[in-house]
Amino acid sequence: MSVDQATVRHIAKLARLKVSDADARKLEGELSTILEWIEQLDEVDTEGVEPMTSVVEVTMKMRDDDVTDGAIADQIIANAPEGEEHFFVVPKVVE
Amino acid sequence: MERQADFAKCIKGSTGDWEVVVGLEIHAQVASRAKLFSGASAEFGGAPNTHVSLVDAAMPGMLPVINRFCVEQAVRSGLGLKAEINLKSVFDRKNYFYPDLPQGYQISQYKSPIVGEGEVLIDMADGEAVTIGIERLHLEQDAGKSVHDQHPTSSYVDLNRSGVALMEIVSRPDIRSAEEARAYVSKVRAILRYLGTCDGNMEEGSMRADVNVSVRHPGDDLGTRCEIKNVNSIRFIGQAIEHEARRQIDIIEDGGVIDQETRLFDPRKGETRSMRSKEEAHDYRYFPDPDLLPLEFDQAFVDEIAGSLPELPDARKQRFIDDYSLSPYDAGVLVSDRASAQYFETAAKGRDAKVAANWVMGELFGLLNRADVEIETSPISAEHLGELIDLISDGTISGRIAKDVFEIMAETGSAPGSIVDERGLRQVSDTGEIERIVDEIVSANPDQAAQVAERPKAIGWFVGQIMKATQGKANPQVVNELLKKRLGMS
């Protein structure tokens, strides 16, 4: 599978990345090569094999329904470029 | 199996009948204390960003750990929807950028949800029962909240809701009218409230729905659908469907085509409008969340939850019909809310159930409506209403006086017995005293008495006079008997 210019632009837009025309041409080749490399895995017959989710036999740990965290609004917004009354302040986004 | 088109439910257009096809995605907040993957509070409200942990704010290196209670509630809800429970399910990342989504993805379930196919039975006002298929129920995180009216050029973001556990309940496109959609949402809400898995509070956003609407001529393939996002009341869901169906019919009949798009319902204008900004984001690039192992539990876990399910609305309705001889309609109204059903059962215990049902659905619901309060905070307790019914059935007060006593109970919260005693409202059944009054009034009105001989219905005038003379306290049955005797009619 190879990637074309339009796909590169679409992926870049979904990832909110600004890509110049020159970079887009370069990425077209690079992404295609990566995909071709990964496609080699298709040669392995995985019929009837469960996807592996962990290298060790463990089940997911669960937590009790207790409030053990929060009330740290200062820390939460400490890195925000802009904040007010513990809100994050961002450029206006309205429908 | 696909439903046959019902022409009575179709909308008339210039090119014939149009069938409306609706599917709903209900987002119901799990009634948990903490969030789905963190220990921060899931409670509604709170000062900005105080119910937020470093996990919810998506700080680097933070790892999600699932809340067992939320898993149990999803299973419980699935059982209530008569759905298949999947012992193994997977969490995926749904990727999109928005300021109130700090992770840049929502943890959700895509290809393998915790709950599979089920069904919900809805009762329509005309007695028709419709089965609406459930496609799935999955667990996912809620996003934060953006506030747009605090500043002219900025939006404010509060992450208190970020990471709160939601159950998304997806219906099949089995719904055929706004009325059916309202009945379906009401029923799902009732089931979840009976189960206690979601408080169903639509004002606080604990339940909201995305509504998919398309139209077609009966027998045709499905039309192109539009999705109306985040409608937050049952009434608005109905309005949005009615408006959207009409909009689509007008476009098609004018020779246009429907664009598949996301729309927003504006309750003030009662119409839907396009949300173009959401369009490109529809490519969500789901993939299994590498931070989370598959969600697995055994059948014993499911069985234990199944063993603790309460009686659900359908079963309770049947019991009300069987045990209390209520009509299906009355039973349906009473069970639609767990608190109403409980109230009725308390008031009806050991009494005439039909009379109790009439008082609850008539006077009490009327009072609650006027006062705009929920039955949980009713000014008249179920025990007091039951005592009032006893006072009527043992002849202490008449039905007419009972309505006055009911109003006084609503104002004062006092027990009916003490109101009747304090205000001297006890019904007079003493024949001697009533006989005296009957005699007095008949003697004083010879003309009317003569009329009764010719026109027996004129006796009503005397009944009225006697009730007036006794301030409504005379036992109407005794009055009638004595009057007829006095006027030589029996």
Side-chain angles (χ1 to χ4, degrees):
Chain A
M1 188 180 146
S2 64
V3 171
D4 62 9
Q5 275 295 297
T7 309
V8 172
R9 295 251 160 248
H10 180 59
I11 296 168
K13 183 160 188 183
L14 289 172
R16 296 295 186 276
L17 293 173
K18 189 189 266 178
V19 176
S20 69
D21 288 347
D23 282 344
R25 275 190 298 278
K26 214 166 91 189
L27 281 168
E28 187 183 336
E30 283 182 15
L31 289 175
S32 297
T33 312
I34 292 169
L35 282 173
E36 277 157 28
W37 180 66
I38 291 169
E39 273 166 5
Q40 292 178 36
L41 290 173
D42 288 346
E43 291 167 21
V44 183
D45 180 7
T46 55
E47 189 68 36
V49 180
E50 280 278 299
M52 186 177 79
T53 50
S54 171
V55 289
V56 282
E57 279 284 316
V58 284
T59 49
M60 183 158 65
K61 288 272 182 295
M62 296 197 194
R63 193 168 43 78
D64 289 336
D65 184 32
D66 294 324
V67 177
T68 55
D69 211 339
I72 47 166
D74 284 337
Q75 291 179 51
I76 294 298
I77 68 155
N79 293 325
E82 203 185 328
E84 200 176 308
E85 290 165 29
H86 289 134
F87 281 107
F88 291 93
V89 177
V90 301
K92 195 134 194 151
V93 273
V94 70
E95 293 300 336
Chain B
M1 194 185 66
E2 179 136 5
R3 282 178 71 184
Q4 283 286 340
D6 177 352
F7 287 90
K9 286 180 178 162
C10 285
I11 298 176
K12 303 272 174 281
S14 59
T15 58
D17 284 324
W18 290 93
E19 186 181 30
V20 187
V21 178
V22 178
L24 284 167
E25 292 161 22
I26 296 177
H27 300 265
Q29 182 180 329
V30 177
S32 61
R33 288 193 287 268
K35 293 182 176 181
L36 180 55
F37 294 114
S38 88
S41 170
E43 197 182 328
F44 177 77
N49 290 311
T50 51
H51 298 174
V52 183
S53 72
L54 297 176
V55 178
D56 310 313
M59 292 298 170
M62 295 297 118
L63 284 174
V65 180
I66 199 162
N67 181 332
R68 181 196 311 275
F69 180 80
C70 295
V71 174
E72 288 164 356
Q73 303 318 300
V75 171
R76 204 170 155 78
S77 301
L79 293 170
L81 300 170
K82 300 183 203 124
E84 167 197 349
I85 307 298
N86 296 321
L87 300 181
K88 180 174 179 180
S89 63
V90 174
F91 285 101
D92 298 279
R93 290 185 180 180
K94 176 179 178 177
N95 300 279
Y96 66 94
F97 282 109
Y98 209 70
D100 58 22
L101 188 78
Q103 289 166 155
Y105 57 85
Q106 175 193 34
I107 304 179
S108 180
Q109 297 190 297
Y110 185 51
K111 280 189 181 152
S112 73
I114 181 167
V115 175
E117 291 186 16
E119 61 181 44
V120 169
L121 193 69
I122 57 172
D123 292 308
M124 304 309 296
D126 60 8
E128 187 191 10
V130 182
T131 302
I132 305 297
I134 299 291
E135 191 175 302
R136 59 190 281 155
L137 175 154
H138 67 252
L139 279 168
E140 63 180 28
Q141 297 177 300
D142 202 351
K145 190 175 86 175
S146 304
V147 185
H148 305 296
D149 55 5
Q150 296 289 305
H151 193 276
T153 56
S154 301
S155 292
Y156 285 28
V157 178
D158 172 16
L159 300 180
N160 281 351
R161 297 190 69 93
S162 170
V164 165
L166 302 179
M167 298 178 283
E168 179 170 327
I169 302 165
V170 184
S171 85
R172 295 215 164 273
D174 288 346
I175 298 163
R176 292 291 177 271
S177 67
E179 197 193 349
E180 285 186 5
R182 283 194 294 263
Y184 167 75
V185 178
S186 303
K187 187 62 177 283
V188 170
R189 180 170 179 270
I191 292 171
L192 299 183
R193 281 166 58 97
Y194 268 68
L195 292 166
T197 58
C198 168
D199 68 21
N201 187 333
M202 298 187 86
E203 290 77 43
E204 291 181 359
S206 314
M207 243 185 96
R208 45 197 201 267
D210 296 342
V211 188
N212 288 286
V213 181
S214 66
V215 296
R216 65 175 171 189
H217 287 304
D220 284 2
D221 289 338
L222 287 175
T224 304
R225 68 188 160 88
C226 289
E227 179 180 15
I228 309 159
K229 280 275 184 201
N230 258 334
V231 192
N232 65 358
S233 89
I234 291 175
R235 194 161 56 90
F236 292 162
I237 289 169
Q239 285 175 5
I241 292 169
E242 270 158 20
H243 171 271
E244 180 60 18
R246 194 71 246 179
R247 187 189 72 87
Q248 293 185 12
I249 291 167
D250 289 347
I251 289 175
I252 299 169
E253 293 196 330
D254 284 348
V257 287
I258 305 300
D259 293 325
Q260 181 165 348
E261 62 175 357
T262 308
R263 300 180 68 83
L264 201 65
F265 178 69
D266 182 339
R268 275 170 311 163
K269 293 184 185 154
E271 59 186 39
T272 64
R273 61 185 156 83
S274 184
M275 276 174 92
R276 297 200 190 283
S277 58
K278 287 266 181 188
E279 284 322 289
E280 186 131 21
H282 259 148
D283 188 347
Y284 292 125
R285 295 146 294 144
Y286 284 96
F287 65 89
D289 192 321
D291 286 343
L292 291 161
L293 284 162
L295 175 56
E296 291 178 273
F297 41 79
D298 54 18
Q299 188 58 40
F301 177 83
V302 179
D303 292 344
E304 197 180 321
I305 294 170
S308 74
L309 290 192
E311 181 183 40
L312 290 170
D314 289 340
R316 195 167 211 175
K317 180 181 171 187
Q318 195 54 51
R319 185 166 61 78
F320 279 14
I321 294 169
D322 295 342
D323 293 4
Y324 298 116
S325 307
L326 295 187
S327 70
Y329 177 80
D330 287 358
V333 170
L334 288 170
V335 305
S336 65
D337 179 66
R338 192 180 191 176
S340 301
Q342 199 52 55
Y343 189 103
F344 162 75
E345 289 213 79
T346 307
K349 197 169 183 197
R351 305 188 174 98
D352 183 330
K354 185 69 198 158
V355 171
N358 285 342
W359 274 92
V360 171
M361 293 168 59
E363 302 299 318
L364 183 78
F365 283 2
L367 167 74
L368 298 177
N369 252 332
R370 283 196 305 279
D372 194 23
V373 293
E374 298 295 320
I375 197 157
E376 287 91 337
T377 52
S378 166
I380 297 177
S381 71
E383 288 78 9
H384 280 175
L385 185 61
E387 287 169 29
L388 180 66
I389 293 167
D390 286 341
L391 293 177
I392 305 166
S393 60
D394 69 11
T396 308
I397 54 172
S398 67
R400 207 190 66 80
I401 290 285
K403 299 207 170 168
D404 296 341
V405 175
F406 182 88
E407 292 303 325
I408 299 167
M409 287 161 74
E411 279 163 31
T412 62
S414 305
S418 57
I419 292 172
V420 168
D421 287 341
E422 279 164 23
R423 309 199 181 208
L425 297 172
R426 203 165 276 277
Q427 176 167 255
V428 180
S429 298
D430 172 0
T431 39
E433 186 175 351
I434 298 177
E435 205 164 6
R436 190 182 55 74
I437 298 168
V438 166
D439 191 55
E440 207 172 276
I441 291 179
V442 172
S443 307
N445 299 280
D447 292 350
Q448 267 84 2
Q451 261 188 34
V452 175
E454 291 165 31
R455 213 162 51 83
K457 276 195 177 160
I459 196 170
W461 183 84
F462 279 105
V463 175
Q465 290 301 306
I466 291 157
M467 295 312 277
K468 206 164 138 191
T470 58
Q471 281 131 34
K473 287 182 285 184
N475 181 328
Q477 230 176 325
V478 175
V479 169
N480 259 312
E481 275 168 30
L482 294 176
L483 252 182
K484 281 183 182 164
K485 207 164 98 189
R486 176 66 174 75
L487 293 169
M489 291 169 71
S490 53

